[in-house]
Amino acid sequence: MKYIKFIYITLLFVGAVEAQEETISKAEAVQMALENNYGIKIADNNLKISENNKSIYNSGFLPTLTGNAGATYNLDNSEVTFLPRLMLDPITANGAESSRYNASMNLNYTLFDGLGRRYNYKQLKEQYNLTELQARETIENTLLQLFGVYYNVAKLSEDVSLMNQSLKISKDRLERVQYQFEYGQINKLAVLNAEVDVNNDSINLLNTQQLLANSKRDLYVVLGKTEVPNFSVDTLVTFSLQSDKTTLFEKVKANNVTLQQLEKNILISDFQLKSNKSGYLPSIGLTGTYGWNKNNNNSTSQVTTSVNTGLSGGINLTWNIFDGGSTRTRVQNAKINVDTQRLQKQQVELEVNRDFNNAYDDYLNKLFILQTQEKNVQTNTDNFNRTEERFKLGQITSIEFRQAQLNLINAKNAKNSAKYDAKLAELEVLQVSGDLLNTDF
């Protein structure tokens, strides 16, 4: 009995602490996840990289400008002999010094490359759009994960409340049978049964509180928070899905993120095919150079110093008339890849249609189960109230009263599970239809 009293005190203390906890609403949880979830942060970084890649600076449309500079120093032993007709004496120079300096700016610009860079640039833009869709998919999956954990916390919170109610009923029952035993109305067995039920309810409550604490830690992982979880959640569930099945199916075809990604992959593959075909065409480029050169000659030279500056420019044409068939191979493979992407889309369309029908039917089924469980709770509540009255009048045994108590607790647990299962099923329908991020949580 002392141990049971200790449990009572502990549970009362835990209840007082929970009463002071901050409530995290569903909208606040979504905001926290969008700001702090590591998976979403990684997806955002990938999107930034893709945005950099689609910049004009990565397109090949801009010219290139390079600078070059150099210096050379020579220390030579030279002997110069002139032609006989010049009638000049030979010149010998030991340790003759000479130096050369140069600097230049080179400009290169491709006027035409067979339209390859044009399609590459379009491909990079579509790659950015694809990364946006991938980031959206990450957010949708994270939100589903978030609400899976959030509603688990909500269910366990309600379970704790039910366990507290059950424990209170068992304590009242124990107190009653103890009085009955003292007055000789029942035997010791009824008291022992009541004590066992109090112990079981206390243990169930402690176990449920531990599961709740673990689930809160899981929720904090999804939210990207590191502090000790001390919060409660909103247990109110509202259903927002109002469109009929036909309308939702049209949204699936237009907004499903998986199908949209496949469409982008087809477009990217088509641009890659056109880019590969540019290998059949010539390329035309412009070049320009501005240079400066200075030579300091040694004593054997007739010119002591020379300085040259100048501007030069040119145009070049390159046409790879035959490259051994590598361009043809790339083009053929690109055509096959486009066809493969289209086949994959057809396959995924079948899978998405199946997933939508399964999710929608599962949602309707869980709504029906919820309605049935709500009726079942009402029935078991009426049964428990009548059983409790008869137990107080001594018309039924404590075992029968306990069974009615368990039936009511189990019915309420089943109703809570059905409520959250139906809500998660609704969110899955919204995700498949591409409408999850447009939902007011």
Side-chain angles (χ1 to χ4, degrees):
M1 291 296 296
K2 291 182 179 179
Y3 176 69
I4 295 175
K5 290 181 180 179
F6 173 75
I7 293 178
Y8 295 163
I9 295 173
T10 303
L11 297 178
L12 288 173
F13 173 75
V14 171
V17 172
E18 289 178 349
Q20 300 174 359
E21 291 176 339
E22 175 190 3
T23 299
I24 298 180
S25 67
K26 291 182 280 290
E28 289 171 339
V30 170
Q31 186 64 31
M32 290 180 189
L34 293 176
E35 293 176 354
N36 303 319
N37 182 269
Y38 289 101
I40 293 178
K41 287 183 177 180
I42 292 172
D44 184 58
N45 283 341
N46 292 335
L47 186 60
K48 291 177 181 177
I49 292 174
S50 186
E51 184 175 11
N52 290 334
N53 288 338
K54 77 180 183 70
S55 168
I56 188 67
Y57 300 109
N58 193 43
S59 64
F61 278 106
L62 298 179
T64 60
L65 183 64
T66 58
N68 299 289
T72 304
Y73 173 79
N74 293 325
L75 183 63
D76 302 318
N77 295 326
S78 302
E79 183 177 347
V80 179
T81 303
F82 297 99
L83 292 172
R85 60 185 177 81
L86 296 178
M87 301 173 59
L88 295 174
D89 295 330
I91 300 175
T92 300
N94 294 322
E97 296 182 349
S98 64
S99 59
R100 292 186 295 274
Y101 304 95
N102 65 83
S104 65
M105 297 292 290
N106 302 309
L107 178 70
N108 290 280
Y109 182 66
T110 301
L111 288 175
F112 179 75
D113 68 342
L115 301 178
R117 61 182 174 180
R118 177 172 180 265
Y119 292 117
N120 286 336
Y121 189 39
K122 289 185 176 181
Q123 188 175 350
L124 291 173
K125 287 185 175 181
E126 292 303 327
Q127 187 65 49
Y128 171 78
N129 295 334
L130 175 62
T131 308
E132 272 190 326
L133 293 173
Q134 292 170 343
R136 173 188 153 194
E137 183 179 32
T138 298
I139 294 173
E140 289 182 357
N141 291 335
T142 301
L143 290 183
L144 281 183
Q145 180 188 11
L146 166 66
F147 281 111
V149 182
Y150 186 93
Y151 287 132
N152 190 46
V153 173
K155 180 187 180 302
L156 289 171
S157 299
E158 292 189 326
D159 288 347
V160 168
S161 178
L162 289 176
M163 293 297 102
N164 274 315
Q165 294 175 22
S166 180
L167 179 59
K168 182 179 182 304
I169 293 172
S170 296
K171 287 165 57 181
D172 292 341
R173 172 184 158 217
L174 175 59
E175 184 179 357
R176 177 177 293 278
V177 296
Q178 283 176 336
Y179 283 131
Q180 291 176 336
F181 174 72
E182 291 174 0
Y183 287 101
Q185 297 177 352
I186 58 175
N187 57 29
K188 185 64 175 179
L189 180 61
V191 177
L192 294 175
N193 285 334
E195 289 180 350
V196 169
D197 292 337
V198 168
N199 289 336
N200 288 334
D201 287 349
S202 301
I203 292 171
N204 289 336
L205 176 55
L206 288 174
N207 287 335
T208 305
Q209 287 175 331
Q210 182 61 54
L211 292 174
L212 175 59
N214 294 344
S215 187
K216 285 184 177 182
R217 295 187 188 99
D218 293 338
L219 180 58
Y220 260 27
V221 170
V222 180
L223 297 179
K225 299 174 71 67
T226 57
E227 59 265 29
V228 177
N230 183 28
F231 63 93
S232 60
V233 297
D234 182 10
T235 59
L236 177 64
V237 171
T238 56
F239 296 94
S240 56
L241 189 60
Q242 298 179 350
S243 302
D244 57 30
K245 188 174 183 180
T246 302
T247 302
L248 285 171
F249 186 68
E250 292 300 320
K251 290 184 177 181
V252 171
K253 293 188 289 185
N255 301 325
N256 181 271
V257 68
T258 304
L259 294 179
Q260 288 184 339
Q261 288 182 66
L262 289 170
E263 290 174 358
K264 293 301 178 185
N265 282 328
I266 293 174
L267 197 55
I268 290 172
S269 297
D270 187 59
F271 285 140
Q272 183 62 53
L273 170 61
K274 294 177 179 178
S275 176
N276 290 338
K277 287 182 177 180
S278 67
Y280 291 130
L281 299 175
S283 61
I284 302 173
L286 291 177
T287 61
T289 302
Y290 179 80
W292 171 84
N293 295 276
K294 180 179 180 181
N295 294 324
N296 295 318
N297 301 314
N298 59 32
S299 58
T300 62
S301 175
Q302 296 182 1
V303 179
T304 303
T305 302
S306 65
V307 177
N308 297 316
T309 59
L311 179 67
S312 65
I315 184 170
N316 58 69
L317 183 145
T318 303
W319 196 343
N320 197 349
I321 298 175
F322 181 70
D323 60 359
S326 59
T327 299
R328 180 177 180 274
T329 302
R330 288 195 299 271
V331 170
Q332 288 179 332
N333 290 341
K335 288 180 179 179
I336 296 173
N337 189 45
V338 171
D339 184 58
T340 300
Q341 294 291 342
R342 291 196 175 101
L343 292 174
Q344 287 179 346
K345 182 184 177 183
Q346 293 174 5
Q347 177 186 7
V348 173
E349 282 177 341
L350 291 176
E351 295 173 354
V352 169
N353 291 345
R354 176 206 61 196
D355 294 342
F356 169 73
N357 286 300
N358 289 347
Y360 190 82
D361 291 347
D362 184 57
Y363 168 65
L364 294 181
N365 184 57
K366 284 184 167 58
L367 275 182
F368 176 78
I369 292 174
L370 173 59
Q371 295 169 358
T372 303
Q373 293 294 356
E374 288 174 342
K375 295 178 182 178
N376 194 31
V377 168
Q378 184 60 48
T379 301
N380 279 277
T381 300
D382 295 339
N383 178 65
F384 174 77
N385 291 336
R386 294 179 182 178
T387 303
E388 186 178 30
E389 292 175 1
R390 295 182 63 189
F391 176 69
K392 291 178 180 179
L393 296 174
Q395 296 177 352
I396 62 172
T397 65
S398 61
I399 295 178
E400 292 174 309
F401 175 77
R402 176 65 174 178
Q403 187 59 53
Q405 176 189 356
L406 292 177
N407 289 341
L408 177 59
I409 294 299
N410 291 335
K412 288 183 176 180
N413 274 327
K415 188 208 76 171
N416 289 336
S417 297
K419 175 176 65 174
Y420 296 117
D421 288 344
K423 184 59 181 180
L424 290 174
E426 180 192 58
L427 294 178
E428 290 181 3
V429 173
L430 290 171
Q431 184 198 27
V432 176
S433 63
D435 220 16
L436 180 62
L437 300 184
N438 300 323
T439 303
D440 185 8
F441 298 106

